[in-house]
Amino acid sequence: MPGHLFDELAAGGGSERAVAFLVKGERARRLLLLRELHDLLDERDGVLGPLGDPAPLWEAIEAAARRAPDAVDGLLMSPQCGAWIAHALRRLHGVASGPPLWADTGHLACLAATASVLAGTDAALTLPARAGALSLPTLGLVQLDVHDGEFSPVPVTVRSGRVTAGPVAVDPLTAARDTPGWQPLRTLLPAGTRLDDLDPYRDLDDPIPPARVPAAEVAHWEKVLGEAHAILARGPGPDTVGAMPPGGITRIVPWTSAQWPGIRVSASTGDAFGSMMASRPDSGLDLAESLVHEFQHSKLGALLHLFPLLADDRTERFYAPWRADPRHLPGLLHGAYAFTGVAGFWRARMGDRAADPANTAPFHFALRRLQTRLVVRTLATRADLTPAGRRLLAGLATTLDRWLREPVDPEAVARARAAAVGHRVEWRLRNLRCGPAERAALSRARQHGGVPPSGFEPELAPGTSAAYWEDTWTARYLAPRPGPDADACLTTGDPARARDLYTDRLRHAPDDAHALTGLLLARARLEPMTRRLLARPERVAAALEVVGGDAGEAVRWLAGLSR
């Protein structure tokens, strides 16, 4: 990669030429993975089970590629193909689970049938049916009238673009609506983005069944996607940090998980460049932010396929300001790159009241530039970086440092800083604890009237990776509203009342990490000498046990305010 293109990407953005270079690299990698898959299937006799020998499948793909090279290349470069190849290779290497291996690896027949449809070539193949459905990646799903078990082999013929499976015959290229025996993959206009609720490999790893989205929901997605693209088009340019070029995200997978009801989530995988999973967006502004966020992940994933950036230490122990749980260093790097883009997105929205009528952009920009710079510093000091990794981090740091010098509404900056501190304090209380030696030293110091000891390092609390908690500080400080509860008092400027309410809560629930966070924030506003306790709030949690559960006394003792 030419150095100037790498530096564009390292800054968090990337011109059309830089992104095109990443796409070219993804194509080369995809072909290498296909070759590895070809060799593994060739080495293992009978791996496709009832589907037979893989040779006719490769021959069908090759025949289609000769007839329609661009169409077949688009299929092989699609997110659907990328996700399946990665999963199939993990299955063959024994590091993933799933349905019967013949059905997983036999999805190659579905690709061959799709390639034949796209090219107009003829083929006679046997496809793996899943609960009576045949997947045609990027096109749709053939529904059979009857089926034999959860997974079964089904003979299929393709003639002049027409697919026939027993009594069911469909023309995938012309059948744009749901009909008996056929469900097409929807395309959201005018962007041309595919809304994929059918492909078995549309999830982040394991295959999942189809989950047809109702027509009204498709209309909603189309509406907000149009709004999102209009918002992005008003930005400063496609090569700017926080922008997304047209066609950057080519597929959206609706996320219907009930794990976080009411919470907006999105995700992506480096195996499927240009694809994202996303929960239902409320507005075009929400979706535009998610598009930028996930396209950043796609860019960094493609960059990581070209350059090793850091040693792959998967130990989850580091603070990420946008997560509830500790993260490993590769995850931190992905987060830093994605949220640099998010910060740039909100920077470009400042003053755009058509896109942001509530004028939230100054707060979001101030929050994300601060949080992301913190993570970049963590990576620079804790990660084992390669030369390319150091160059990438230097580019991100330069962008963020420049943004931190830019003037933003002081009131929004103050709220953003308070939200950042609130998240960090509560994260530490929920994920870290004082080790046995520190707790013992605190106990001895209290018993003998000594000064609380220092110089200890915290340890991860057990079970933190599985414990989800919702960050409410960002929402509270984004739009402070008066109310009788402690959080409302704190965020609207009554720390004394908030302190009393949090203290009362802790008398009844001494393990309430959110209440202890609020108490520490309120005390820091009222008594500046207690601010240093925000750096290691887990010491306050440990001191609570030492002083008999009196939160106020624990704070006073650690801050040196005890009488």
Side-chain angles (χ1 to χ4, degrees):
M1 174 180 282
H4 69 280
L5 297 185
F6 184 94
D7 290 337
E8 290 176 7
L9 295 164
S15 64
E16 184 177 334
R17 287 185 60 201
V19 174
F21 195 99
L22 293 178
V23 172
K24 183 179 178 181
E26 287 297 285
R27 183 180 184 278
R29 178 177 183 270
R30 188 72 53 84
L31 294 176
L32 288 171
L33 294 179
L34 276 169
R35 181 67 199 193
E36 181 184 359
L37 181 65
H38 174 280
D39 292 346
L40 287 173
L41 294 180
D42 191 50
E43 292 169 3
R44 303 188 186 187
D45 291 337
V47 69
L48 297 187
L51 305 184
D53 189 78
L57 307 180
W58 295 113
E59 291 167 3
I61 294 173
E62 290 170 3
R66 285 192 296 270
R67 170 78 67 85
D70 291 343
V72 175
D73 192 71
L75 169 65
L76 297 181
M77 277 299 296
S78 68
Q80 290 90 335
C81 182
W84 167 71
I85 292 173
H87 176 77
L89 288 174
R90 285 192 284 267
R91 287 298 311 273
L92 290 168
H93 286 296
V95 294
S97 59
L101 183 59
W102 68 264
D104 251 349
T105 54
H107 191 70
L108 177 65
C110 301
L111 281 173
T114 300
S116 301
V117 170
L118 293 171
T121 52
D122 295 345
L125 309 166
T126 302
L127 273 61
R130 300 166 185 261
L134 300 172
S135 174
L136 297 179
T138 74
L139 297 179
L141 207 64
V142 178
Q143 296 281 1
L144 306 177
D145 292 333
V146 295
H147 59 91
D148 182 18
E150 186 176 0
F151 298 96
S152 57
V154 175
V156 170
T157 59
V158 181
R159 296 283 185 274
S160 302
R162 186 174 182 81
V163 177
T164 303
V168 178
V170 298
D171 293 288
L173 297 182
T174 58
R177 297 179 180 275
D178 285 13
T179 58
W182 175 243
Q183 290 182 327
L185 195 64
R186 275 92 163 238
T187 300
L188 302 178
L189 300 175
T193 304
R194 314 304 291 272
L195 188 71
D196 193 347
D197 52 1
L198 299 175
D199 193 89
Y201 298 95
R202 67 190 186 276
D203 202 2
L204 298 181
D205 185 21
D206 290 341
I208 57 175
R212 200 60 164 161
V213 173
E217 279 298 289
V218 176
H220 174 77
W221 277 100
E222 191 164 69
K223 173 179 177 293
V224 295
L225 183 62
E227 294 171 354
H229 278 276
I231 289 169
L232 292 168
R234 291 200 299 271
D239 58 345
T240 307
V241 182
M244 189 192 75
I249 295 294
T250 60
R251 180 183 73 158
I252 296 175
V253 176
W255 203 334
T256 57
S257 172
Q259 184 176 1
W260 304 293
I263 299 174
R264 184 161 56 95
V265 293
S266 64
S268 55
T269 168
D271 297 327
F273 184 89
S275 176
M276 62 180 271
M277 299 184 70
S279 58
R280 186 184 194 271
D282 292 330
S283 68
L285 186 64
D286 289 343
L287 184 54
E289 180 190 16
S290 295
L291 288 169
V292 169
H293 182 140
E294 298 306 334
F295 187 62
Q296 290 289 107
H297 281 302
S298 278
K299 288 193 299 181
L300 184 62
L303 202 62
L304 283 163
H305 292 155
L306 297 174
F307 302 96
L309 299 176
L310 78 170
D312 193 8
D313 181 355
R314 309 296 290 188
T315 304
E316 296 181 328
R317 62 181 185 276
F318 296 103
Y319 171 62
W322 34 79
R323 297 277 302 209
D325 53 345
R327 291 295 281 159
H328 45 63
L329 290 169
L332 273 193
L333 181 62
H334 260 285
Y337 197 79
F339 278 95
T340 297
V342 169
F345 168 82
W346 287 112
R347 177 175 178 265
R349 306 284 85 75
M350 290 198 296
D352 184 357
R353 298 303 286 270
D356 179 29
N359 196 32
T360 62
F363 172 87
H364 287 301
F365 174 55
L367 176 66
R368 294 312 187 191
R369 68 179 181 178
L370 178 65
Q371 291 178 323
T372 309
R373 187 62 182 90
L374 173 66
V375 171
V376 168
R377 184 165 65 246
T378 300
L379 287 162
T381 56
R382 304 296 295 272
D384 182 10
L385 299 164
T386 66
R390 288 192 291 272
R391 188 167 174 174
L392 177 77
L393 278 190
L396 294 178
T398 298
T399 296
L400 294 164
D401 287 343
R402 183 178 73 251
W403 287 349
L404 285 166
R405 293 191 294 269
E406 293 182 356
V408 178
D409 173 38
E411 190 267 341
V413 171
R415 287 187 287 113
R417 286 176 176 167
V421 172
H423 182 278
R424 182 181 179 276
V425 170
E426 186 162 349
W427 183 95
R428 291 188 69 97
L429 287 171
R430 292 182 181 273
N431 290 286
L432 301 179
R433 66 180 183 183
C434 295
E438 186 171 12
R439 292 199 301 271
L442 286 169
S443 179
R444 287 193 300 271
R446 181 68 177 181
Q447 290 174 1
H448 299 292
V451 175
S454 59
F456 295 89
E457 289 294 324
E459 64 180 26
L460 284 174
T464 55
S465 61
Y468 176 80
W469 55 278
E470 183 182 355
D471 167 34
T472 59
W473 297 111
T474 297
R476 287 283 193 169
Y477 279 108
L478 170 64
R481 291 183 177 86
D485 61 286
D487 287 357
C489 293
L490 178 63
T491 55
T492 56
D494 189 356
R497 176 61 178 158
R499 173 199 59 199
D500 296 342
L501 290 171
Y502 288 128
T503 300
D504 184 63
R505 170 64 180 163
L506 288 166
R507 289 194 188 99
H508 299 90
D511 294 330
D512 189 330
H514 183 80
L516 184 53
T517 299
L519 175 64
L520 292 175
L521 296 175
R523 294 291 295 258
R525 291 275 301 277
L526 295 167
E527 302 165 279
M529 284 189 65
T530 66
R531 289 177 185 169
R532 60 189 178 92
L533 302 184
L534 300 176
R536 284 205 58 204
E538 64 276 9
R539 281 171 56 84
V540 182
L544 270 172
E545 302 176 10
V546 172
V547 302
D550 186 336
E553 177 56 24
V555 170
R556 287 190 295 271
W557 179 53
L558 289 176
L561 299 176
S562 294
R563 288 179 291 207

